[in-house]
Amino acid sequence: MDLTLDSTYQAATKVADQIENHFSKHLAIAAVSGEEDLATVPHAKFIEKMLDVAFWASLRREEGVPTRISLAFLNPCQAGKPLKFAQKLPFDVRVLTKLAPGVERAGVHVGVWYEGDNLFIWGTTLKLPNFCFVLDVSEPGLLVVKHRRSVGLGKFANVAVLKGDQVKIVDESCGLLPDSPEIVTSLLGLTSSAVWNDPVNVLIQIAVSMRAHKRGGILLVVPAGSTKWKESIVHPLTYPLSPAFSGVADLVRQDGGKVTEIYWQNALRREVDNVTGLTAVDGASVITDRHELITFGAKITRAPWSKHGVDKVVMIEPVIGGTPELMHPSAIGGTRHLSAAQFVNDQPEAIALVASQDGYFTVFSWSEQVQLVQAHRIDTLLL
């Protein structure tokens, strides 16, 4: 049976080959580098089938609740100690919809494998091999293709996002642009650290949590020990903290040999949510590059020495076809984005993370090469 001919979700047909090429490239490089526990490259026909079935399942509800499920393409022998079904289940919309309520918790993946030209579901797993193909059904009509990072830590690396008939393929080369902030290069998989408390890994978790509360907000990351940033903030501060809150910072400084990774991840999640929840308050939250929270609800203003307001930034979205564009910052998303761009323009050593209520997420940073503020739209990487 030719699975390609069975696909009724046209976007699946459009991207399957590109996604297969992505995994083939990364797995080949990993093999040459001597990495172990590598996943199997998924064939385009299986990718297409998984996307097709997952899309239609995402539009269904079980007892009134939309389908949310994570699918992983792997042989059960690579899953450590998986939960295996006594009999293989057919890979179809009905089965995914029925299974979803029991496997929607974070970190649980439904194992999918093949026999001949047919896919089947064999069970669930918490463990995945390196660069394993993962397909998340995030919400109705929204699918995210990703893979586990080779270091096994932090957020999975996104490969493609499909929302209805809109398809975005991540362009890793965007991270090679001059002055790309570390949070962007790390999300693109160009830089990564095997240290679980690496500051960039932590900042990514902060961005994910900040986006998750869906109220929008600004987080300003300023150099530790500097007070120059205060000249870009209206005084008196509405909610100054004394001393600075160091819940996240204390975890980052913690010796990784003294606690387990699971303990640390759970502790970090609590501390990060504690901090990022405050970004929902009107105004900007300010943390140092050591993750110490200084204030929240702060009002951004133009610094005294700033000669003019920001009238253009370089807008970059790290997807194929997303070429850098010059535009007014208010065109990116409104008042928050304009304020964040002005802050980074006046405080080039800082970066600004901006979450919109509609799910968009932008990182503002200063580019020495072009002498302009650059805005990286990274919501495609955070899903």
Side-chain angles (χ1 to χ4, degrees), residues 260-316:
T260 65
E261 181 186 332
I262 293 176
Y263 170 85
W264 180 82
Q265 287 179 339
N266 290 333
L268 176 67
R269 188 177 298 111
R270 291 193 299 269
E271 295 294 351
V272 162
D273 288 345
N274 192 18
V275 170
T276 57
L278 296 173
T279 62
V281 175
D282 186 39
S285 295
V286 183
I287 65 171
T288 70
D289 52 13
R290 296 177 184 170
H291 309 306
E292 297 167 323
L293 180 65
I294 302 171
T295 187
F296 64 95
K299 308 300 182 184
I300 298 172
T301 187
R302 190 189 306 178
W305 64 83
S306 184
K307 297 179 180 179
H308 53 78
V310 177
D311 59 358
K312 58 183 177 180
V313 299
V314 181
M315 172 67 182
I316 306 166

Side-chain angles (χ1 to χ4, degrees), residues 1-19:
M1 178 177 67
D2 188 343
L3 294 177
T4 301
L5 296 179
D6 286 347
S7 178
T8 54
Y9 178 40
Q10 293 184 0
T13 307
K14 180 179 179 181
V15 301
D17 287 332
Q18 290 175 279
I19 293 174

Side-chain angles (χ1 to χ4, degrees), residues 3 90 106 133 159 196 224 274 295 320:
L3 294 177
F133 173 94
V159 178
W196 51 258
N274 192 18
T295 187
I320 292 176

